Amino acid sequence: MNDIVDHGDEAARLIAAARAAAEHAHAPYSNFGVGAAVLLADDTIVPGANFENASYGLSLCAETVAIATASASGRLGDVVAIGVVGGMIRSGAITGADVVRPCGRCRQVINEAAQIGGRDVRVYCAGAQGDAIAHYRLSDLLPDAFGPADLGIGVNRPA
């Protein structure tokens, strides 16, 4: 885990928003709900929840939903941080204190926003319950990432 500066209550705000989003997860097949909350440069928070599909390969991760929502608003390059939580759905509530981190696919999607915005996105991870929050930079979770810059698109790798 990489120690990064906690920008005020940024981690707590994003984890709280991600927990609220997780309550809307559509996960009838795995019973594992995930919520994400993306922080944009102007302090706007964009939520996302996982959305499973009977054709499993068509399911969407919470982080991807939140990033795509930011992109749909023309804000892909404004992503500065993301909070991610998850846990088992039991009796209609998402439970568990184990820290949940983005999957590899989501790390790649977050990297797209990071390279477009030219920043190393802060990533906060937690369980559905509890106080434990892991703090990372995206570059810690996805070193030497492939992205738009590798395809010659005029963006810079995050510093």
Side-chain angles (χ1 to χ4, degrees):
M1 183 166 53
N2 187 19
D3 292 322
I4 61 174
V5 175
D6 182 7
H7 299 264
D9 64 346
E10 180 177 275
R13 287 178 51 227
L14 287 175
I15 294 303
R19 285 180 173 150
E23 294 300 322
H24 301 289
H26 177 71
Y29 308 105
S30 71
N31 287 314
F32 193 83
V34 180
V38 168
L39 179 67
L40 302 179
D42 68 356
D43 213 35
T44 299
I45 294 178
V46 179
N50 61 320
F51 183 86
E52 294 180 352
N53 188 284
S55 175
Y56 297 133
L58 298 179
S59 296
L60 301 170
C61 296
E63 301 92 324
T64 301
V65 169
I67 295 284
T69 300
S71 181
S73 298
R75 307 292 304 275
L76 184 62
D78 292 339
V79 174
V80 297
I82 186 169
V84 179
V85 303
M88 295 303 299
I89 300 172
R90 300 194 196 298
S91 302
I94 300 177
T95 63
D98 290 341
V99 171
V100 172
R101 293 163 188 83
C103 71
R105 177 177 179 260
C106 287
R107 294 172 193 204
Q108 187 64 41
V109 169
I110 297 166
N111 179 65
E112 189 80 7
Q115 284 195 18
I116 295 292
R119 60 179 55 93
D120 197 357
V121 171
R122 297 180 295 275
V123 181
Y124 305 107
C125 306
Q129 302 167 312
D131 296 329
I133 300 175
H135 300 232
Y136 302 94
R137 294 272 184 191
L138 178 63
S139 60
D140 297 326
L141 296 173
L142 190 66
D144 301 318
F146 179 84
D150 296 294
L151 299 174
I153 296 174
V155 297
N156 297 316
R157 288 192 184 274

